[in-house]
Amino acid sequence: MICKMNIDKMKCINRSTPLVLCLLALLLSSCDLFGGNNTNIPAKPVKAPANQQVYVAPILGASDITTFDPALAYDTSSLSAVQMVFTGLVQIDDKFQIRPQLAQSWQQTPDGLTWIFHLKPHLKFSDGSPLTSADVIYSIDRALQPATKSTVAPIYLDLIRDSEKLLGGRIQTLINDSLMAPDPNTVVIQTKKRAAYFLAMLTYPCSYVVEKKLIDTFGANFTDHLALGGGAGPFRVLQYTHGKEIDFAPNPNYYHALPQLQRVVFPFYPQAEAAYQAYQNGQVDMTGVPIANFGTDQKRADFHLVPQLWINYYTMNYLVKPFDNINIREAFALAIDKTAIASTVWQGTVIPTNHIVPQGMPGYNATLTGPDGTRTLKGNPDRARALLQKGLRDEGWSSVAQIPPIKLTYATGVSNFDQEVKALIGMWQSILGVTVKADPVDYNTLLDEVTAATGNLQGIAFWGLAWVAEYADPQDWLTRQFDRGAPNNSMNYGQNSSSNASQQQAIQVQLESADANFQENARIQVYQKAEQQLVNDVAWLPMEQVTNVYLLKPYVIGMVDNQQWLTPPDDWANIYIVQHSLG
């Protein structure tokens, strides 16, 4: 999902929302529609009548969603709207387990390259038209068609065999190639390699099913006519007023239990502070919490703080001195008091961490340690100084004055990052005696410079980014970041001449092996072992896990704290409003 940082500039808009925008959203406490469990409701709440089953969840920081097309959606606001109306073969639940959605079951061939999905019976679009396997393969093929111009489908559907040929114009369609519908209830998808994470990637909305006749009628503008049909999700569009709000009503043809809410409204609030005030006035049912209000609001009964699958981190170019030296990298990592930064800079709204795979993600390793073999988040100054001296000796340097000038490059525009970098620079100076210069640049410049660091001895040496889960599998956090040839591996992990490069390459091989292993427990063990070595190698220098901080009216029942900000479609059957005083 989807506020994420990606260092492949050509793909940055698809699998990543700029870090600056993400953090601006965080600082404004941007939330979309996901909520949390309520503890301050009456002992015997009474369900409100149907005309009061209305839930108002503001879209913050925007005057409209970017797109309503599942093949194009990448930002949180758009994805929130898309998941109300559209569904796919599989989706994730609140515990990040992959569950059947349009598909009721599936199996693989022994070679792991062919996936056979059996659809639920009697599926329909919201207008009552039948939904069959032909609609599923049409939708996936459409998402990958060059004419659709999707920036997300080439990533999340990349595992489908011959997808690169379709994108490159060498074939006209994947239908009856790697996408087949042998009968109305069966979908067959062939992949280009064994991938245990394929189902997780299919949970991304670009594989969701759209109604062909609506697209044939209205073309790219079909999203302005979703009141006529288009999707098979729990809701249908009642009204979409650009720049104002989206109104949803239950889809009477939904294949699961119908929502209890009779109307859901997404009003647009370009200024998050206005939504916060609207919540106080009883005009919306949830809101983010500005950091300035965190200290007082955290005592409220309607306050929620939920860790997100989002890690802020710094990383170093393994090809550039002094960070081609593992001892110096570890020294920098262990000189940081992450707890102090989380408290003073972020005022307790983030969770300091040593982890690459965040808490709440499948494969999270609760026993992971920092590079010094401990779980402390306060740093290890003595160990840091000793490692720095060892690193200096490795390089033949007699003092820190011989270390080449170091700049820390990061995206400008968020005061908390300015403060964090200032704190880091102070710690490195006081503990290591090393001077680091802050290098704030605009987001696009950062992406350009990070992308250019790949294989570049003259590239930038040190930079800050963030990653947010794209799908519910640790492969997204490990192989996609650190494997040989991975677009995100601009730190050149494994492809360098440092003293432990061969060990790094062995980790890359292990990650690839885990990717293809369908024995879940075994592959998780490999990922966790690899993550520990990546932390020891300071492949990333993780800083904090971001949280979502929000208020939710206690009369909204059934919302489940969701670490990816989205409500799974079947959850809506359990969400309702209880009687309460208005205002």
Side-chain angles (χ1 to χ4, degrees), residues 293-306:
N293 298 86
F294 179 82
T296 54
D297 281 359
Q298 65 179 325
K299 302 172 185 177
R300 297 174 56 134
D302 56 350
F303 174 87
H304 299 264
L305 185 149
V306 184

Side-chain angles (χ1 to χ4, degrees), residues 3 54 140 155 159 171 286 295 327 363 389-390 553 576:
C3 198
V54 179
I140 294 175
I155 297 170
L159 284 170
I171 60 176
M286 72 167 305
N327 293 310
Q389 292 304 312
K390 185 176 181 182
K553 294 294 186 180
Y576 61 95

Side-chain angles (χ1 to χ4, degrees), residues 442-454:
D442 69 81
Y443 171 72
N444 288 327
T445 298
L446 175 64
L447 281 184
D448 288 338
E449 292 192 4
V450 171
T451 301
T454 306

Side-chain angles (χ1 to χ4, degrees), residues 71-72 140-151 153-154 162-174:
L72 305 178
I140 294 175
D141 183 76
R142 172 186 174 268
L144 283 165
Q145 286 287 342
T148 303
K149 298 181 180 179
S150 173
T151 55
D162 292 338
S163 60
E164 73 284 354
K165 293 181 181 179
L166 178 60
L167 290 163
R170 288 178 283 161
I171 60 176
Q172 298 302 306
T173 181
L174 294 179

